[in-house]
Amino acid sequence: MTSAPPSSTSPEIPPATSPAVVTLAAAAPPGAGSPTRTAPFIGAVFIATSLDGYIARPDGDIDWLTERGADAGDTGYESFIDGIDALVMGRGTYEKVLTFDAWPYPGRTVFLLSRRAEPGVDDRVRVVRDVAEAVDAISACGARRVYVDGGQVVQSFLAAGLVQEITITTVPVLLGEGLPLFGRLGADVDLQHRATTVLGAGFVQSTYAVRR
């Protein structure tokens, strides 16, 4: 099923065709200055939230999404994932993915950002301990377009300037509580609206470019 026609769109902005090189401050001993690292890849977020901004219930359940998702029609996910070279996700997202009938990322490099997961816990993922290590690992594998998934990972990558594109599909439901998509940031993050599309069953999808 194809999606409904867009309800409103901004003047078309060509998608990024080359990575924006951003600078990530690396941890350093006191007095050692502030060495930096560059991340030559595009970080892209593609995620669903409730109308009040939650990506899951407090216990991580996403029944409110899975029970309604088919009614949205074509959300563009397949086209999005076809352009992804690697993924980075947190432990909560990884554990949710493990409940799916099949591993949804065959043939793609998946980084698990976690301080607790043991290296080698799953041969389908590579464990990284922090954002700086994730940047090094993603850069080393040559990925040019990276899917950034999971609330805490999205927040960390945004704060570090590692997200260039954000697509949010809003589900017409209020949860009242849960795990939020966004959290505290060190500074405002300016966004440029690309498009908003009304999908089936009242789902609304908006895409933004992150201004740098």
Side-chain angles (χ1 to χ4, degrees), residues 110-132:
V110 178
F111 297 96
L112 172 57
L113 180 53
S114 171
R115 296 187 182 277
R116 294 182 297 161
E118 293 295 329
V121 65
D122 185 338
D123 60 10
R124 297 169 298 186
V125 303
R126 295 173 55 184
V127 176
V128 290
R129 295 303 186 198
D130 54 33
V131 173

Side-chain angles (χ1 to χ4, degrees), residues 27 142 171 212:
V171 182
R212 297 296 179 195

Side-chain angles (χ1 to χ4, degrees), residues 46-58 61-66 68-69 151 167-182 201-206:
F46 192 104
I47 201 164
T49 73
S50 63
L51 184 59
D52 46 354
Y54 297 111
I55 60 172
R57 298 189 189 277
D61 199 347
I62 56 171
D63 61 310
W64 54 273
L65 173 60
T66 56
R68 298 173 172 84
T167 298
I168 299 175
T169 302
T170 303
V171 182
V173 61
L174 297 170
L175 300 182
E177 61 178 348
L179 306 180
L181 173 56
F182 299 118
F203 283 62
V204 178
Q205 184 177 87
S206 293

Side-chain angles (χ1 to χ4, degrees), residues 63-114:
D63 61 310
W64 54 273
L65 173 60
T66 56
E67 290 173 359
R68 298 173 172 84
D71 296 334
D74 182 7
T75 64
Y77 175 79
E78 293 301 329
S79 176
F80 169 80
I81 201 69
D82 283 347
I84 292 297
D85 302 311
L87 299 88
V88 59
M89 65 179 64
R91 186 183 180 98
T93 301
Y94 168 70
E95 290 178 347
K96 177 56 65 176
V97 168
L98 291 180
T99 69
F100 297 169
D101 292 336
W103 181 251
Y105 313 118
R108 290 186 173 83
T109 302
V110 178
F111 297 96
L112 172 57
L113 180 53
S114 171

